[in-house]
């Protein structure tokens, strides 16, 4: 499973990070990408979840 944290986004006083994770579908076996924008502290939790 590929994992990647991509860039940082600053909006006003908040710092945000866009994280992209590749997830394999258990039904079809195809890979899909899941994207989320979050605080930099939460990225490792997002990437470690299945």
């Amino acid at each position: 499973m590929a994992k990647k944290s991509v860039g940082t986004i600053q909006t006003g006083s908040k710092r945000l990070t866009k994280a992209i994770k590749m997830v394999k579908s258990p039904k079809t076996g195809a890979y899909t990408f899941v994207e989320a924008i979050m605080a930099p502290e939460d990225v490792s939790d997002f990437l470690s979840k299945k």
Side-chain angles (χ1 to χ4, degrees), residues 1-12:
M1 181 166 71
K3 302 174 187 178
K4 187 170 187 179
S5 176
V6 179
T8 58
I9 304 164
Q10 281 191 313
T11 58

Side-chain angles (χ1 to χ4, degrees), residues 31-42:
Y31 286 94
T32 59
F33 293 94
V34 178
E35 298 181 19
I37 296 176
M38 64 195 73
E41 302 83 37
D42 301 332

Side-chain angles (χ1 to χ4, degrees), residues 5-23:
S5 176
V6 179
T8 58
I9 304 164
Q10 281 191 313
T11 58
S13 63
K14 287 188 176 182
R15 231 180 119 206
L16 301 173
T17 301
K18 181 177 182 181
I20 301 171
K21 177 170 56 170
M22 191 167 72
V23 180

